[in-house]
Amino acid sequence: MRNPSSATRAAISLALPIAFLALGCTPAVNVTTTRQTPSAASVPFRTDVNDALGKAQLRLVEVRVDRSPGGPLRAQVDVSNETSRVKRFSYKFEWLDAAGVLIPSTQSTWIPASVPPGGIATIRSVAPTDAAADFRMQVLRSQ
Amino acid sequence: MKMLLATSVALASLAFLGACGSRPGYIEPGGPESIVTPGEVDIQDIKKAAAVMLDSLFETGVLGRAKNQPAQLVIGEIKNDTSSRFDLGELTYRMREQLVNSGKALTATPDEVKRRMFFDPTYLPDYTLTGKITYIKRQAGRIRQTTYTFSLTLTDPSTGMEVWTKTDDLTKQGTKSGIGF
C-alpha cells in the first residue's frame, strides 16, 4: 500500500474534524436492542387514515401494553423520526373500559414531546383505574 | 368628494383589520392552542406535571401497599420556589380528584388529620405527600429558557421514610409568549 502524500494527509486531517463537527449536530448511530421480534407485550395497532404521526413525519414502530406492578394497564408507544430534523409533537392518551366507555381522568392531557433526528422516543401512559381495558392516543404536530 | 373617498377607504381598512383580529372563543383548557409563556408556569405545565405524577403513583403500586385500603394520604406542604405566581391547588386538586375518584386513596388536609388525632392520638395516616417546584432560568441573547422541576415525595409518617418520589422536568424556550406547544 502506498503511503498517503502530505497533501492527502492534510486533507484527511482537515476533513476528519469537519466530519466530527458535522456529526455532532445529528446522532450518527442510534443504539437499540438486537431484538428482531416484537416484544411479548406488543399488541396490534391501527392508525387512522388521517394519520397525524405521518403528517409529523414520524413512524409508529411498536405499541406495547401490559399490566403495571400497581395494577392498571400501562401503554408504551415507540415513535421514530427518520428525518434529519428534530420533530416536535404533542400527544394525549385516553383510556376506555371493557365496554369502550371513556374513563374521565385528569391524567388525560396534552403532553409535548420531541424525537431527535434519526432517533426513537417512547411515549407512555398509565391507566387511571384498574377497569381500563383499551386506550386511544391522539397526536398533534407542533409548530 | 375626495374627503368622502378617503373616509370610505379608511373605514373599509379598519373593518378589514378588525376582521383579521383574534375573535374571542373557547379553547380546550391546557390544550395545544393555549398560550405558552417562557418565563411562567402555564396551566398546561401543571396539567402535565399532575398527569406524570399520577402515572407514576399508579404504576409503582405504592398506594396498594398501604396498611389501609384505600390508602389514607395527607396532602402536606408543596412549596413554589419559582418566580411564577400560581395557586398550588391547581396541582394538588387535580391529583386529589384522580386519587379519590380512582378508589386508590382517600385524601385529607393536615388540619383534618390534626383534628382526627385530637380524638384518637394513635391515629396516623398511611402517607404524607410533600413537594417542591423549582426552576433554573438562563438567557442567551434574546432567547430565554426556563426549566421547571416538579418534585413530589410520599413519606410514611410512622417511619419517616420516603416510599415514593418523582420529579418531572419541563423546559420552555422562546423570546416571547406564543400560542401552542
Side-chain angles (χ1 to χ4, degrees):
Chain A
M1 202 172 102
R2 278 191 314 165
N3 282 335
S5 67
S6 60
T8 312
R9 276 201 301 270
I12 291 171
S13 59
L14 193 67
L16 277 176
I18 291 170
F20 281 121
L21 202 67
L23 286 172
C25 300
T26 53
V29 180
N30 287 297
V31 179
T32 183
T33 63
T34 52
R35 179 165 57 80
Q36 296 295 310
T37 53
S39 152
S42 177
V43 292
F45 55 84
R46 190 197 78 198
T47 51
D48 289 337
V49 176
N50 184 17
D51 184 1
L53 277 171
K55 281 184 181 166
Q57 294 176 300
L58 297 166
R59 193 169 67 83
L60 197 54
V61 179
E62 188 172 82
V63 180
R64 294 177 294 277
V65 178
D66 74 347
R67 202 155 283 282
S68 68
L73 288 179
R74 63 181 168 190
Q76 294 192 343
V77 179
D78 288 346
V79 177
S80 76
N81 171 12
E82 287 156 14
T83 73
S84 57
R85 299 183 68 180
V86 174
K87 290 290 166 189
R88 293 189 178 86
F89 62 100
S90 45
Y91 66 90
K92 179 161 105 169
F93 278 88
E94 289 174 312
W95 288 88
L96 314 163
D97 67 14
V101 176
L102 180 77
I103 302 170
S105 162
T106 55
Q107 285 160 268
S108 178
T109 189
W110 289 100
I111 295 182
S114 63
V115 196
I120 292 183
T122 300
I123 51 182
R124 54 199 303 282
S125 175
V126 179
T129 70
D130 295 359
D134 199 2
F135 73 91
R136 64 179 177 220
M137 188 188 83
Q138 296 180 66
V139 174
L140 271 176
R141 185 171 48 168
S142 295
Q143 299 305 312
Chain B
M1 186 66 188
K2 270 184 186 171
M3 189 68 173
L4 186 66
L5 187 68
T7 311
S8 315
V9 169
L11 281 175
S13 306
L14 277 175
F16 181 73
L17 284 173
C20 293
S22 173
R23 284 191 308 167
Y26 294 100
I27 60 159
E28 183 183 350
E33 294 170 296
S34 305
I35 291 170
V36 179
T37 327
E40 299 285 339
V41 175
D42 293 313
I43 184 67
Q44 59 268 35
D45 306 333
I46 295 167
K47 289 183 83 167
K48 178 200 175 253
V52 169
M53 296 296 169
L54 288 164
D55 271 8
S56 174
L57 268 174
F58 292 161
E59 185 179 18
T60 56
V62 64
L63 298 172
R65 293 195 289 272
K67 280 195 300 268
N68 299 294
Q69 286 303 320
Q72 296 181 1
L73 218 101
V74 186
I75 308 286
E77 189 185 16
I78 297 175
K79 279 186 190 168
N80 176 9
D81 275 355
T82 74
S83 58
S84 186
R85 296 294 105 195
F86 61 95
D87 187 348
L88 282 163
E90 295 287 347
L91 178 72
T92 54
Y93 272 101
R94 274 181 177 79
M95 293 188 65
R96 285 164 79 161
E97 177 186 335
Q98 195 58 45
L99 287 165
V100 173
N101 293 355
S102 68
K104 289 188 178 295
L106 299 173
T107 61
T109 62
D111 285 346
E112 285 159 353
V113 171
K114 269 184 205 161
R115 205 162 29 242
R116 167 104 187 247
M117 288 168 89
F118 179 78
F119 294 108
D120 179 6
T122 60
Y123 173 75
L124 269 181
D126 293 308
Y127 302 127
T128 305
L129 182 75
T130 53
K132 193 185 250 192
I133 305 163
T134 54
Y135 76 123
I136 298 171
K137 258 187 182 173
R138 293 291 180 265
Q139 188 159 355
R142 290 176 61 241
I143 307 283
R144 287 185 293 160
Q145 179 178 292
T146 314
T147 298
Y148 293 99
T149 303
F150 293 73
S151 312
L152 291 185
T153 301
L154 268 191
T155 308
D156 181 345
S158 64
T159 62
M161 305 296 275
E162 291 179 1
V163 293
W164 170 87
T165 186
K166 177 78 183 160
T167 56
D168 180 41
D169 294 324
L170 192 125
T171 299
K172 303 169 91 172
Q173 197 182 72
T175 51
K176 57 182 180 180
S177 301
I179 309 281
F181 282 126

